[in-house]
Amino acid sequence: MPIFELFAPCPRGLEAPLAAELREIAKHTPLNVGAEVPGGVHFRGDWPAIMAANLNSRIASRVLLRMAQRSYRSENDIFELAVEQEWEHWFTHLQTLRVDVTAIKSPLRSLEFVTLRVKDAICDRLRDKSGDRPNIDTTNPDVRVYAFLTATHCTLYLDTSGEPLFKRGWRLDKGAAPLRENLAAGILSLSGWTPGTSLYDPMCGSGTFIAEATQMALGIAPGTHRSFGFEKLKRYEGKTWTAMKGAALQHHREAQGASADLGIYGSDISGDMLVKARSNLERAGLPEMPLKQIDARNMTPPFDTPGILIANPPYGERIEIRGPRGELREVRDVAHEMGQDEDDHGFRREQPDQTDAAFFKAMGDALKQRFTGWQAYILTSDRTLPGQLRLREALKTPLFNGALECRLFKFDLIAGSVRQRPAAAGDMPA
Ligand SMILES: C[S@@+](CC[C@H](N)C(=O)[O-])C[C@H]1O[C@@H](n2cnc3c(N)ncnc32)[C@H](O)[C@@H]1O
């Protein structure tokens, strides 16, 4: 059985949890985890390893199969490398193709031109071998090829995932500003949360943390209900995949009867978001989880046993609005009043800084006063968050939410010794 060189890209900051996850997968399906590099993890394995990684990885964005790697100086060198590869062994000219190129410190001027050259090379090769060129489809291609350029080397990858792996196949209504599923799963892993420990997301939005955690608690593989790019490749082992997917589906069926009493709880101030979260959970085939409409400033622990509170509050412009009497109002109504597009988020702020400062101070008070013994993990792009909460972070981890650089702040709300901090310079007075 051939052993392939594989690479799993992931959101930056999640390389270590991804490597740990691959080592877990390796306990059931042989694969060798290699180096962690910024933005992903190298590993090696055969077809079952490719399938198992696609089916079970919560943190990888894709699983890429390395076709070739060589030094280059010009676009022509890259063309030559691409034209030499036996693409005809993997797919046919009847399948549609998409090529993407990414580069770090490449001396070449135009990545579009490199993309074109790689595309040409693959199409020329298939025309020579089978008499015709494949069509290009950038939206819904059958086959995706990636070229990755460093200053000196070009690596060609064949994608085995198709749609990125954070698309689990059940999210229809994205809600507003949902977290990518693999980022949510990575944060759960960084927090050290394991099934059985109390988990509370007081700003659960469309329910990404809740859905990921529930699947983890029930042992449901994240890719159980989606298809993968490798299913369209010539060489994939259909029988092995049928058995692997069948087992995952069977496991999900058995888990469906499980009680929702998993120690996982979500709340949000927006009733609309809770409706979306519930229908997402339903589409994911998960039990009805406890979700409640609560303003995070008034939150109380949903469980007697302290655990982990995890949240990604609205960023920047995307926060709740204060009505004229100081109460929160959903912008859905206000947007209509102001003739604004309600598309970007369910909430908009009128007096941004004061609203933020007052809100986060109140949220910090709630954490300090009511969540003794809990650990709170908050993802935000706002580095002044600890100051606004009046809490001193125990840890901060840089993470990328797409292109947005964020910090995952950890706060230990230890009994009798909550690490408070004075208001930071520039914090708004409460
Ligand atoms: C960035 S979104 C969270 C997205 C969520 N993690 C997801 O994946 O869908 C922030 C959420 O905070 C909620 N929110 C805003 N103000 C709130 C408040 N005062 N109390 C509780 N939730 C609030 C919004 O309704 C929104 O769903």
Side-chain angles (χ1 to χ4, degrees):
M1 206 181 282
I3 300 291
F4 303 109
E5 296 293 333
L6 304 162
F7 181 66
C10 66
R12 267 158 65 202
L14 294 181
E15 296 84 359
L18 171 58
E21 182 184 71
L22 288 171
R23 280 191 283 275
E24 265 316 298
I25 295 172
K27 288 182 182 164
H28 308 284
T29 311
L31 59 85
N32 291 320
V33 182
E36 293 166 32
V37 295
V41 178
H42 291 278
F43 67 109
R44 302 178 83 222
D46 53 12
W47 267 114
I50 292 175
M51 296 169 186
N54 272 298
L55 176 66
N56 295 301
S57 176
R58 296 190 170 276
I59 301 175
S61 305
R62 299 185 168 279
V63 175
L64 303 176
L65 189 157
R66 194 168 91 181
M67 298 287 293
Q69 185 177 59
R70 202 155 71 200
S71 65
Y72 74 94
R73 287 200 173 171
S74 66
E75 291 86 353
N76 262 358
D77 296 339
I78 296 172
F79 179 92
E80 289 304 327
L81 181 67
V83 90
E84 283 168 22
Q85 304 312 311
E86 297 177 322
W87 303 105
E88 66 278 8
H89 287 184
W90 297 92
F91 55 96
T92 78
H93 66 278
L94 297 171
Q95 289 171 292
T96 54
L97 172 69
R98 173 181 168 140
V99 173
D100 286 278
V101 178
T102 49
I104 298 176
K105 296 183 182 157
S106 167
L108 301 183
R109 284 222 199 109
S110 160
L111 291 191
E112 279 92 71
F113 187 54
V114 178
T115 310
L116 206 65
R117 295 304 282 151
V118 175
K119 237 182 315 193
D120 280 347
I122 299 172
C123 292
D124 286 1
R125 168 105 194 181
L126 287 181
R127 184 201 51 211
D128 292 349
K129 297 288 170 191
S130 65
D132 218 340
R133 296 164 69 89
N135 285 330
I136 301 298
D137 181 347
T138 51
T139 340
N140 195 17
D142 294 321
V143 179
R144 296 167 200 247
V145 170
Y146 288 86
F148 178 63
L149 309 182
T150 62
T152 53
H153 281 74
C154 170
T155 311
L156 295 175
Y157 291 107
L158 186 59
D159 173 42
T160 69
S161 301
E163 286 286 298
L165 295 178
F166 58 77
K167 296 194 178 174
R168 311 291 200 218
W170 47 260
R171 191 193 281 282
L172 268 187
D173 193 337
K174 288 197 165 199
L179 267 193
R180 285 190 174 168
E181 283 72 1
N182 60 342
L183 182 56
I187 290 171
L188 284 168
S189 169
L190 286 173
S191 77
W193 177 80
T194 48
T197 304
S198 307
L199 182 75
Y200 178 32
D201 178 355
M203 298 178 139
C204 69
S206 62
T208 316
F209 283 121
I210 304 295
E212 288 299 308
T214 305
Q215 282 195 334
M216 285 162 80
L218 298 176
I220 298 167
T224 306
H225 296 284
R226 55 161 279 166
S227 57
F228 296 97
F230 65 74
E231 293 172 68
K232 294 196 170 159
L233 296 177
K234 273 187 185 175
R235 289 186 167 189
Y236 100 97
E237 292 172 12
K239 263 193 191 164
T240 314
W241 176 233
T242 307
M244 208 181 268
K245 180 155 184 165
L249 282 165
Q250 174 63 21
H251 186 88
H252 189 168
R253 274 192 291 275
E254 285 162 13
Q256 243 157 358
S259 114
D261 188 13
L262 298 170
I264 299 170
Y265 194 95
S267 64
D268 199 284
I269 196 169
S270 161
D272 285 356
M273 291 310 294
L274 294 175
V275 169
K276 285 173 186 161
R278 283 192 193 101
S279 64
N280 274 330
L281 291 171
E282 192 184 331
R283 269 196 300 273
L286 297 174
E288 210 174 297
M289 300 300 290
L291 299 175
K292 220 170 163 190
Q293 188 167 12
I294 300 172
D295 182 336
R297 295 173 301 180
N298 304 327
M299 63 185 175
T300 50
F303 305 109
D304 293 339
T305 324
I308 289 177
L309 180 145
I310 220 156
N312 90 293
Y315 297 126
E317 291 309 310
R318 300 164 157 191
I319 202 163
E320 84 289 354
I321 185 169
R322 240 164 217 283
R325 289 183 307 278
E327 80 278 24
L328 291 167
R329 286 200 296 159
E330 290 199 24
V331 85
R332 203 158 300 285
D333 319 315
V334 179
H336 283 306
E337 282 166 28
M338 302 195 303
Q340 283 172 336
D341 189 350
E342 58 180 62
D343 174 21
D344 65 339
H345 198 266
F347 297 87
R348 195 181 298 273
R349 60 187 179 178
E350 241 163 21
Q351 296 172 308
D353 297 338
Q354 284 178 9
T355 309
D356 276 9
F359 171 74
F360 285 116
K361 182 181 176 300
M363 188 175 165
D365 287 346
L367 289 172
K368 281 179 275 197
Q369 288 159 12
R370 294 172 228 140
F371 283 81
T372 306
W374 286 67
Q375 290 180 334
Y377 286 83
I378 303 188
L379 179 76
T380 177
S381 60
D382 183 352
R383 293 180 196 195
T384 67
L385 185 84
Q388 295 184 56
L389 291 169
R390 311 283 202 270
L391 281 170
R392 202 180 292 283
E393 74 272 20
L395 201 68
K396 60 176 171 223
T397 310
L399 283 180
F400 279 79
N401 184 6
L404 191 64
E405 186 174 352
C406 295
R407 294 284 179 278
L408 178 66
F409 288 106
K410 174 188 181 192
F411 302 100
D412 284 325
L413 307 166
I414 302 157
S417 69
V418 170
R419 304 210 301 165
Q420 304 210 13
R421 52 169 284 169
D427 286 353
M428 294 296 297

